[in-house]
Amino acid sequence: MIDPCTSSDDAAVATAAARAGADVVRKMYGQRLSRIDKGAGDFATAADVEAEKAILGVIRAARPDDAVLGEECGQHGAADAVRQWLVDPLCGTLNYAVGTMLVAVNVALRGGAAAVADPFSGEVFLTDGETAWVRRDGADDALLTPTPSTRLVDVNLDPPFPGAPGFRAVDLLARPEFVELFRPRVVSTTLALAWVASGKRAAYVTDGGDLARSVHFAAGIALCRAAGCVVTGIDGAPTGETGRGLVVAADEETHGLLMPMLRSRS
């Protein structure tokens, strides 16, 4: 593995950081963990905090001049820095807290490299900003190849719902044309975005605002773009500061099938 302290490769830094966080998440799994209340039903655990510390340690050692925005520890360095890392140390905390192994560790350099680690499968999905691939222990790296063949669409049903009543993801699941073409899944973690990029999901849909700069979504969006997925807001517009939510599809055809179902509500 490339040493992130000596390498100039941002993808190596992202990968090492994501793996460091994933190691903590895996080791602390199954322990009785105190919850840190964030309000509105959201919370963090000690695993979230410790995983973020491990990730920050890698980034600080390799890129001491870069800024970092972490889900748990907030901003380190200037918020308007040219180089800023976005860190979500444990996406899927509720899954994790109840013993469900569907979580992701997200690390992204804004506008550049990114990595998403699955602590329990051992997979790390990564991109250098141009190409996306998956790294598995003991196996050669493989390019990510999105495909709609599964017909599985992952839908984020977690609150808040800023698009309601105009858009509610739950309404999509009740549409006859949706169930004729697809089968819904609810993973409740942005690991699902990596699964779209790798062909395990045909698409992913969520409400929200500008998610491209979100610690939760930045790494997954970067992966999907580099893999060649179609990435837009729920209104079909490009993601960005004025964007609304997220639709990521394995190909143009799948995206084209989903958009009329979303637009009729948005």
Side-chain angles (χ1 to χ4, degrees):
M1 184 175 69
I2 298 173
D3 182 353
C5 297
T6 59
S7 172
S8 61
D9 183 355
D10 286 329
V13 175
T15 301
R19 276 182 163 166
D23 286 346
V24 172
V25 170
R26 186 172 55 255
K27 289 174 182 176
M28 297 185 72
Y29 177 76
Q31 298 180 20
R32 183 182 292 275
L33 301 172
S34 59
R35 298 188 180 189
I36 304 163
D37 184 30
K38 295 183 177 182
D42 193 15
F43 63 90
T45 70
D48 298 68
V49 175
E50 293 304 313
E52 186 162 310
K53 289 179 181 177
I55 292 167
L56 289 176
V58 173
I59 296 174
R60 283 171 176 159
R63 300 290 186 267
D65 297 326
D66 289 0
V68 181
L69 176 61
E71 166 71 7
E72 307 307 333
C73 300
Q75 183 70 42
H76 300 262
D80 59 352
V82 174
R83 289 175 56 89
Q84 182 184 49
W85 294 85
L86 303 173
V87 174
D88 184 357
L90 178 48
C91 184
T93 299
L94 181 56
N95 284 347
Y96 184 80
V98 298
T100 301
M101 295 182 181
L102 290 174
V103 300
V105 177
N106 299 324
V107 178
L109 177 62
R110 194 170 65 192
V116 176
D118 180 338
F120 299 106
S121 74
E123 295 173 312
V124 181
F125 305 88
L126 62 149
T127 177
D128 57 7
E130 296 181 358
T131 303
W133 60 100
V134 60
R135 182 167 295 168
R136 301 180 179 92
D137 291 337
D140 294 335
D141 293 351
L143 289 176
L144 294 183
T145 306
T147 171
S149 60
T150 67
R151 313 312 293 170
L152 300 179
V153 175
D154 217 283
V155 181
N156 181 12
L157 300 180
D158 289 339
F161 308 111
F167 173 81
R168 297 191 310 167
V170 68
D171 294 329
L172 174 66
L173 307 186
R175 297 186 66 90
E177 61 268 42
F178 179 84
V179 296
E180 288 175 4
L181 295 168
F182 303 107
R183 288 293 179 268
R185 289 295 183 273
V186 182
V187 173
S188 296
T189 167
T190 53
L191 181 63
L193 281 171
W195 287 357
V196 177
S198 61
K200 298 179 182 180
R201 292 288 187 270
Y204 176 88
V205 178
T206 184
D207 198 357
D210 173 17
L211 301 181
R213 294 174 179 264
S214 164
V215 295
H216 305 288
F217 290 92
I221 290 174
L223 275 177
C224 289
R225 283 178 170 156
C229 301
V230 181
V231 181
T232 71
I234 58 174
D235 56 359
T239 57
E241 292 184 5
T242 60
R244 295 180 53 214
L246 187 66
V247 180
V248 176
D251 60 359
E252 291 282 359
E253 181 181 3
T254 302
H255 187 267
L257 290 170
L258 284 169
M259 289 313 299
M261 304 181 206
L262 303 176
R263 286 180 176 138
S264 64
R265 293 286 312 176
S266 59

